[in-house]
Each structure stands twice: as C-alpha cells, then as structure tokens.
Amino acid sequence: MENFDSLISEIVRFRDERDWEQFHNSKDLAIALSLEASELLEIFLWKSNEEFNTDKLKEELADVLMYALLLANKHNLDVSQIIRDKIKRNSEKYPVDKAKGTAKKYDEL
C-alpha cells in the first residue's frame, strides 16, 4: 500500500486546487463520509452477499476513504497510528481464545 502521507497530499492538492477546503469543516466531512458509506451500502442492496458491481465498489469505497483521510488530516491525526491503536484495543476486547470463529460482540464472549 502507498504511504498515507503521500496519498493525503494528493487528495489535499485536488481539494485545494478547487478551493473546497472552505466546505471541509469536521461536521460536514463526517456527514459526507456517512453519506458515501450509505452509497457504498446501496451497491449491495437487494443482491446476494457477493453480488455487486466491482467498478461501483471501487468508486464508492474511494469516496469513503478520501473523506476519512481528509477528516484525519484536518485534525492532524496519524492514520497509521490511530489504526494500530484501534487494533490494539480490539485485540484486548476480542482475545483470540474467546473470539476466534465467532461474531459475538466483546461483551458476549
């Protein structure tokens, strides 16, 4: 995978060339992220589990990821680090010996 910093710089450059930063407050970035996630869900609606258009998946997933990266960038968050931190917290909540092979929530293990 490409370095997050390089990718974020490319997204920010695209945004700044269009003078869109003025619209990218935390609230609106979070709303846009949620709306794009809903569009991602829509490609699966009324289809079997793995029946979807791959091109639409790539397009909607890219939108979700771009808004997430812009929100992280706005708050100077290190994307790699916050993901590692979350994996660590989840590994504590979902120890392998209790969570392996089950979809139960941590408080049900």
Side-chain angles (χ1 to χ4, degrees):
M1 276 188 134
E2 188 174 346
N3 178 310
F4 279 122
D5 292 336
S6 172
L7 190 55
I8 291 169
S9 293
E10 201 171 326
I11 296 166
V12 167
R13 185 171 39 257
F14 174 87
R15 178 203 65 198
D16 290 350
E17 289 172 349
R18 289 151 183 82
D19 193 26
W20 288 347
E21 185 177 13
Q22 62 183 315
F23 308 115
H24 288 184
N25 59 72
S26 298
K27 173 190 67 78
D28 288 330
L29 286 171
I31 290 170
L33 175 59
S34 179
L35 292 171
E36 293 300 341
S38 294
E39 289 180 21
L40 177 63
L41 283 173
E42 188 176 27
I43 70 169
F44 295 98
L45 184 63
W46 313 123
K47 297 178 176 76
S48 63
N49 288 343
E50 296 302 323
E51 177 190 350
F52 57 88
N53 180 309
T54 302
D55 289 335
K56 285 297 291 177
L57 174 66
K58 291 190 289 190
E59 186 175 325
E60 298 306 337
L61 190 54
D63 288 338
V64 168
L65 292 167
M66 286 192 292
Y67 281 119
L69 291 172
L70 282 168
L71 187 56
N73 183 68
K74 178 170 187 60
H75 295 281
N76 299 311
L77 302 175
D78 179 333
V79 175
S80 297
Q81 189 58 54
I82 64 174
I83 290 172
R84 285 186 188 98
D85 291 346
K86 183 63 175 179
I87 291 169
K88 183 178 186 291
R89 282 193 304 278
N90 282 348
S91 69
E92 293 165 0
K93 289 168 52 174
Y94 296 94
V96 174
D97 62 322
K98 292 182 179 178
K100 189 170 185 173
T102 183
K104 291 180 181 177
K105 193 166 174 171
Y106 68 93
D107 60 354
E108 298 173 344
L109 294 174

